[in-house]
Amino acid sequence: MFDFIPEIANVTSVRPVTATETLYHIRLPNRPLGHLPGQFVQVSLPGIGEAPISIASAPGRDGFDLCVRHVGNVTEALRRLRAGDCVGIRGPFGRGVPLDEVMGRNVLIIAGGLGLAPLRSLIQYILYFRAKFKKAAVLVGARSPDALLFSKEYKAWRQDGDIDVRVTVDVAKAGWKGDVGVITDLIPHVPLPPADTVSIVCGPPVMYHYVLRTLSRLHQPQDHIFLSLERRMKCGTGKCGHCQINGLYVCREGPVFRYDRIVHVPEAVS
Amino acid sequence: MVDRVLPKEQVSAFLDYLRRRYRLWAPVAQGGGFVFAEIDHPESIRLDYPTTMLPPKAAFLPPNEILLSIDMESLESAPPPAEDKPIALLGVHPCDLHGLMRLDMAMREEPSDASYVSARRGALIIGLACVHRCRPEAFCDSMETFRGAAGADLYLTPIEDGFWVEVRDGAEESLADAADCFRPPSDRQKREKDDINRQIDLEFSGRRLSLETLADDLEKTYTSSYWAKLADRCFSCGACTAVCPTCVCFDVRDDLAGGCKTADRCRSWDSCLLKDFAAVAGNENFRPKRHQRLRHRMMRQGSYLAKRFNLPAFCVGCGRCPAMCLGKISPLEAFEFSQKGRTVHV
């Protein structure tokens, strides 16, 4: 049975990430969230509304992170939150990254823009259980150096996690020493054998087509590719219809889909 | 299944029983047509109605409802108090019985929807046979939803002496106190009922779709230019979904109430035909074009939800949407397009 009652959770810290994104650390009063990397929650402010937000930290007992871009009614209102405030939480919802299909293999994480937020959950998980994964690489794309999420963490990902982190921006600015260009340019430079590598992709809708084309040219099998898709998840239980992609409900069957299972679903990636 | 007869002279006693034990919903005349409404005066009930403007869906999934109220001080949530009596829906035609079964499947699919389950709990569904076609737009013949007692606790067929009543196994219990209203049927009444059923089969003989293949046939039209042509007649107004017995899409929003002392989480019907339905924050819209939204609704009705719930179709052919549509768009024309040349006449 499912009702729409939110659990009242505590915001334990608020950290600006960029000019438009904020990272909130949240604790539920009575339980760990119990999520998998890639799942999402519904965050609400009483009287204002709910917004689906993906979880940006690895599963753990000590609360969870949400990285919020302030672009809608609810997410704009979340700007007012301070440490010590309360929010409503429902979830976790959906299917995350199936870890048993990723463990024991090389991992290629491809994140465009805010897509790094849900994938940070997986990156942290890899850091915690590093020995369970073979080589790992993270490709990060952003509009500009200012728009990069979690850039202060890249060093730790590289050093503590032995993760090959590569970053590119669409438009550089003075002082930028990294790559300039689209994220697909980075993919061929990662020395991971496609047949023994699992790719996990999350980014703006326009990105998927090009990333998939590149991975296909490199002969990566479709069942080794996972895509996290954004839609307007509202109820979280496959009823309200808002997140539907053809016959699939993203809130239940996704948001993480194995590519071979949606390659023939016309609305999924175009 | 037990067969009984409800004699004419017992109908009002039966209605009294229903009103004592249930909140009685039935068709009444309103605004030049008919609607299902909660009954205060049994004499207003019109079992001779052809069809209603809105399906009986609203009894269990209201157009607007409060799912819960949050106290702004304590932040505690509580659902609204449950109604004291369950609903009895009287006079539901076969297409709408099929509609209610589909509504049940969608809203009771695990995890089931608490508010719907609560409204539906203990409800008594009383079906009513359709003896005549209600309107030219209806295509219950094509969808094969014009007959049958499935989904009804009681199913009434009008006969000369009153109503032939088929009582679903397990539903006798809810009639225990009304047992005096019913009589065992006579052989003559049985023959009359069988005659009426034959008349119904004749009345609704006509076109048939190939329902076994409809879902797949429809999906094969996905890339056809047909949808853009059909969408030339679509105003994207959402009237079709508002009158549909099986459209379940909804919106949830939070409103302040009671002088800002509480916040109500409200649910209202939504429509996948409306432009913003699949829009997300940041100016991304996953179905920005009209023909994409129209096609999506037709696919939901003819394919997606049918496959999900293992049905021939989710649409029940009630004919409300083509009757309401400004462009006279009917799911039947889309379904028949997908099976071009294979429509069977019986």
Side-chain angles (χ1 to χ4, degrees):
Chain A
M1 190 83 86
F2 170 82
D3 54 37
F4 284 80
I5 296 179
E7 279 176 85
I8 302 305
N10 299 309
V11 178
T12 51
S13 79
V14 178
R15 217 174 81 202
V17 180
T18 68
T20 49
E21 281 103 9
T22 309
L23 188 70
Y24 301 91
H25 188 73
I26 292 169
R27 275 199 196 115
L28 289 170
N30 303 319
R31 64 173 180 108
L33 185 63
H35 68 285
L36 278 172
Q39 285 190 297
F40 69 97
V41 290
Q42 290 283 359
V43 184
S44 61
L45 291 171
I48 293 172
E50 278 192 326
I53 306 288
S54 54
I55 302 151
S57 57
R61 290 177 188 281
D62 185 38
F64 55 95
D65 287 346
L66 299 178
C67 181
V68 176
R69 177 175 284 176
H70 305 289
V71 282
N73 291 340
V74 177
T75 52
E76 267 302 331
L78 287 170
R79 269 187 200 273
R80 297 202 297 265
L81 281 183
R82 298 290 173 261
D85 288 346
C86 291
V87 284
I89 296 287
R90 293 194 297 123
F93 293 112
R95 288 188 193 160
V97 178
L99 294 167
D100 54 340
E101 292 186 51
V102 185
M103 286 193 281
R105 287 173 160 160
N106 302 303
V107 188
L108 174 60
I109 291 172
I110 302 172
L114 192 55
L116 187 56
L119 294 177
R120 180 175 176 256
S121 175
L122 179 63
I123 295 167
Q124 288 188 351
Y125 190 90
I126 294 173
L127 290 174
Y128 292 156
F129 300 100
R130 188 62 190 86
K132 291 191 185 292
F133 300 86
K134 290 185 179 170
K135 286 181 185 163
V138 176
L139 310 183
V140 180
R143 289 188 309 277
S144 66
D146 293 340
L148 280 170
L149 301 180
F150 312 117
S151 50
K152 285 181 188 149
E153 300 177 18
Y154 302 164
K155 196 175 161 195
W157 296 352
R158 287 183 182 117
Q159 289 180 355
D160 304 346
D162 189 24
I163 296 175
D164 180 3
V165 182
R166 297 169 188 236
V167 182
T168 184
V169 296
D170 296 343
V171 183
K173 64 170 195 176
W176 175 252
K177 296 191 186 96
D179 281 307
V180 177
V182 290
I183 199 163
T184 43
D185 294 344
L186 298 178
I187 297 172
H189 299 294
V190 182
L192 297 177
D196 194 31
T197 299
V198 173
S199 297
I200 297 133
V201 187
C202 188
V206 65
M207 190 185 93
Y208 292 94
H209 171 72
Y210 296 101
V211 167
L212 289 167
R213 197 171 63 180
T214 307
L215 292 176
S216 151
R217 279 187 191 147
L218 295 170
H219 307 291
Q220 179 151 48
Q222 289 177 346
D223 61 0
H224 285 32
I225 302 172
F226 291 88
L227 309 169
S228 178
L229 301 183
E230 180 198 15
R231 288 297 186 274
R232 186 181 181 180
M233 285 82 88
K234 200 118 208 182
C235 69
T237 62
K239 295 192 178 8
C240 80
H242 285 273
C243 70
Q244 203 175 357
I245 297 178
N246 300 100
L248 299 171
Y249 291 101
V250 174
C251 72
R252 292 194 62 175
E253 282 99 41
V256 178
F257 293 95
R258 208 170 79 184
Y259 182 44
D260 62 321
R261 295 190 176 135
I262 54 166
V263 64
H264 298 299
V265 177
E267 284 185 358
V269 279
S270 50
Chain B
M1 189 79 79
V2 187
D3 292 328
R4 291 277 180 274
V5 164
L6 177 65
K8 264 183 194 155
E9 60 277 12
Q10 290 295 331
V11 169
S12 78
F14 181 54
L15 293 178
D16 285 344
Y17 162 78
L18 290 176
R19 289 175 63 223
R20 275 198 309 279
R21 190 164 162 163
Y22 297 94
R23 282 177 291 140
L24 178 61
W25 283 58
V28 295
Q30 197 183 85
F34 295 87
V35 293
F36 277 94
E38 195 165 345
I39 300 297
D40 291 323
H41 307 289
E43 58 278 10
S44 63
I45 296 174
R46 290 286 299 276
L47 292 180
D48 60 340
Y49 78 107
T51 181
T52 53
M53 287 180 277
L54 291 178
K57 172 173 82 176
F60 306 124
L61 184 66
N64 295 289
E65 67 182 310
I66 294 174
L67 296 168
L68 57 100
S69 295
I70 303 171
D71 185 300
M72 293 294 275
E73 288 254 311
S74 68
L75 295 180
E76 272 172 26
S77 306
E83 296 282 352
D84 55 342
K85 286 195 253 181
I87 287 176
L89 260 178
L90 171 67
V92 184
H93 283 163
C95 61
D96 282 336
L97 288 175
H98 284 274
L100 287 172
M101 283 196 289
R102 284 154 174 74
L103 193 62
D104 271 352
M105 288 176 182
M107 298 305 280
R108 285 173 160 172
E109 185 190 25
E110 287 300 327
S112 55
D113 183 271
S115 176
Y116 181 86
V117 168
S118 163
R120 183 76 174 77
R121 187 174 292 131
L124 186 74
I125 310 290
I126 306 173
L128 175 66
C130 238
V131 186
H132 300 291
R133 284 170 184 269
C134 60
R135 58 171 23 142
E137 295 90 346
F139 51 102
C140 52
D141 50 353
S142 296
M143 307 310 288
E144 298 179 46
T145 51
F146 59 86
R147 72 162 97 75
D153 296 299
L154 309 182
Y155 188 72
L156 313 184
T157 304
I159 55 173
E160 202 182 338
D161 300 336
F163 293 98
W164 181 279
V165 184
E166 292 165 55
V167 183
R168 181 182 62 79
D169 290 338
E172 299 98 328
E173 197 180 299
S174 50
L175 294 180
D177 299 334
D180 290 351
C181 300
F182 297 94
R183 306 279 176 270
S186 68
D187 289 347
R188 182 186 58 77
Q189 287 166 330
K190 168 125 188 16
R191 281 196 299 278
E192 187 189 349
K193 190 223 48 169
D194 290 343
D195 274 348
I196 290 170
N197 279 345
R198 276 190 288 276
Q199 280 171 35
I200 290 173
D201 280 345
L202 270 180
E203 173 81 12
F204 293 94
S205 62
R207 293 176 298 188
R208 295 282 190 272
L209 288 162
S210 166
L211 289 177
E212 321 74 65
T213 61
L214 176 61
D216 288 334
D217 293 339
L218 199 58
E219 285 193 22
K220 282 180 198 142
T221 68
Y222 193 87
T223 53
S224 166
S225 58
Y226 170 78
W227 296 107
K229 262 183 246 151
L230 191 64
D232 282 344
R233 285 151 57 200
C234 174
F235 291 78
S236 212
C237 68
C240 49
T241 57
V243 299
C244 178
T246 65
C247 276
V248 294
C249 289
F250 57 80
D251 189 29
V252 178
R253 57 172 205 289
D254 287 6
D255 289 337
L256 287 167
C260 294
K261 288 193 176 119
T262 58
D264 289 339
R265 183 154 288 177
C266 308
R267 166 155 71 192
S268 47
W269 292 352
D270 206 342
S271 171
C272 61
L273 264 298
L274 301 181
K275 191 166 186 184
D276 289 341
F277 186 79
V280 296
N283 295 326
E284 191 70 50
N285 190 338
F286 291 98
R287 272 189 294 277
K289 296 195 176 121
R290 220 170 348 153
H291 81 268
Q292 296 169 331
R293 299 192 294 275
L294 177 62
R295 179 178 60 194
H296 182 71
R297 173 167 191 262
M298 295 300 188
M299 293 279 173
R300 261 179 79 93
Q301 291 293 335
S303 174
Y304 303 153
L305 295 184
K307 284 184 174 173
R308 189 170 188 94
F309 297 109
N310 203 14
L311 291 164
F314 213 64
C315 172
V316 295
C318 70
R320 288 185 179 94
C321 63
M324 201 56 71
C325 177
L326 291 169
K328 298 288 164 213
I329 296 173
S330 172
L332 181 63
E333 59 182 303
F335 297 167
E336 288 191 333
F337 170 79
S338 76
Q339 301 191 330
K340 223 183 260 170
R342 286 192 284 128
T343 306
V344 181
H345 293 261
V346 293

